[in-house]
Amino acid sequence: MLMQAKVGLVIGVANKRSIAWAIAQRVAEQGATLVLSYQNERLGEKVIELAKTLDPQPVLLQLDVNDDEQISAVFEQIRDKFGRLDFLVHSVAFAPRQELEGNYINTSREGYRIALDVSAYSLTALARAAQPLMTDGGAILTLSYLGAERVIPNYNVMGVAKAALEASVRYLANDLGQYGIRVNALSAGPVKTLAASGISGFSRMLEHHRNKAPLRKNTELSEIADAALFLLSSLSRGITGQTIYVDGGYSIVGM
Ligand code: NAD
């Protein structure tokens, strides 16, 4: 089993459609012991129900990535319980709904700040908190989207946040490589999730993707989970600082 005896923190499970949940299930199947965090009490109820289906039972902790005290508390609890951490999955993004429609040029200062803080800066804060616990090396994984590099209608400030996130992956990979910690991103094709439903015209994105991607289909959660397993396991031990596409090839097409 690829993740036997590994301890990992998975951030970003909101419900059964969450990319983080697909990843959590896959790494648990491969022997990982998990800490699952949930953003707030409301989402916590769902996550607690889902967590019951995993074996071994994950540790559940509340974590709002905007809150530095909660970040410290989560890693302290992981230190107390396990003494170390082997991997971290960051599957978190947010922008106010009004920023995910219309033209990018209308992005408000506050909307920009929130999107970049929650969706990009949080990876840096979490990587810094995780590093002392990754005593035997580690793997950090985040989720990105093509909107980081190309203009996607309505994706707007989230594209700018993902560009910052992908650049952060490279800088963090360089800082943490000396400790045997790898940092990578998966750039996934569109999948219908709670976060995705905040993007205006998302069904059209799905349809366009199905028609134009070389594999002529939408990206499936299981495909993202398998790629995540690769990047979190020793199979990818020579890879760091990369953004790898799981998008049926959509990103290679020009016309
Ligand atoms: P999702 O809604 O299931 O997950 C988003 C998660 O972010 C939720 O669990 C939410 O609680 C969490 N979150 C938001 N603000 C937070 C905060 N302040 N503190 C803690 N958690 C917070 O949707 P998803 O599509 O699974 O999104 C996961 C990641 O995948 C995101 O980074 C998203 O941008 C990325 N992604 C999604 C798609 C897609 O089409 N769904 C494609 C590429 C990348």
Side-chain angles (χ1 to χ4, degrees):
M1 293 218 276
L2 284 169
M3 303 302 284
Q4 194 66 49
K6 302 272 188 211
V7 178
L9 168 61
V10 178
I11 306 170
V13 181
N15 56 42
K16 66 177 193 307
R17 290 195 199 163
S18 294
I19 292 173
W21 177 239
I23 295 172
Q25 288 175 291
R26 183 66 85 254
V27 292
E29 281 163 18
Q30 289 293 322
T33 298
L34 294 181
V35 179
L36 290 186
S37 74
Y38 51 89
Q39 185 185 351
N40 52 41
E41 275 168 28
R42 185 176 56 82
L43 291 173
E45 287 174 23
K46 279 215 181 72
V47 180
I48 289 165
E49 278 310 303
L50 288 174
K52 287 182 185 157
T53 63
L54 291 182
D55 182 29
Q57 284 287 293
V59 172
L60 289 153
L61 298 173
Q62 185 170 334
L63 173 61
D64 184 319
V65 298
N66 286 333
D67 185 331
D68 287 327
E69 280 178 20
Q70 280 190 24
I71 292 178
S72 302
V74 161
F75 286 92
E76 258 169 49
Q77 288 178 72
I78 294 172
R79 182 194 299 276
D80 290 349
K81 177 111 180 120
F82 300 104
R84 63 168 221 287
L85 188 69
D86 300 301
F87 66 93
L88 168 67
V89 177
H90 172 275
S91 185
V92 172
F94 177 77
R97 187 174 275 266
Q98 67 271 19
E99 308 293 359
L100 300 174
E101 59 189 14
N103 291 336
Y104 169 72
I105 200 169
N106 294 322
T107 304
S108 69
R109 190 181 293 273
E110 184 62 358
Y112 190 101
R113 187 193 64 73
I114 292 171
L116 272 282
D117 194 5
V118 179
S119 318
Y121 179 72
S122 60
L123 178 71
T124 300
L126 290 159
R128 191 166 59 245
Q131 186 247 309
L133 285 180
M134 292 186 159
T135 46
D136 199 18
I140 298 176
L141 177 67
T142 188
L143 272 299
S144 191
Y145 176 60
L146 184 63
E149 289 176 76
R150 312 265 182 87
V151 175
I152 307 284
N154 302 314
Y155 201 64
N156 298 349
V157 71
M158 192 52 81
V160 176
K162 292 300 191 193
L165 182 72
E166 292 182 11
S168 305
V169 164
R170 292 185 284 272
Y171 279 91
L172 290 169
N174 190 52
D175 286 349
L176 296 176
Q178 62 189 309
Y179 306 110
I181 301 170
R182 300 181 296 107
V183 187
N184 291 292
L186 281 177
S187 183
V191 181
K192 202 165 168 37
T193 61
L194 187 64
S197 63
I199 303 161
S200 182
F202 188 75
S203 319
R204 273 190 48 229
M205 278 169 77
L206 283 174
E207 189 187 335
H208 183 73
H209 189 100
R210 267 198 305 279
N211 294 332
K212 301 292 177 206
L215 293 181
R216 300 292 191 277
K217 62 195 271 297
N218 281 126
T219 299
E220 292 172 18
L221 285 170
S222 67
E223 296 165 353
I224 303 171
D226 282 344
L229 174 62
F230 167 69
L231 286 176
L232 293 170
S233 76
S234 63
L235 290 178
S236 62
R237 61 195 175 280
I239 299 175
T240 194
Q242 300 298 323
T243 297
I244 293 178
Y245 290 99
V246 195
D247 68 345
Y250 182 87
S251 53
I252 66 161
V253 175
M255 189 177 141

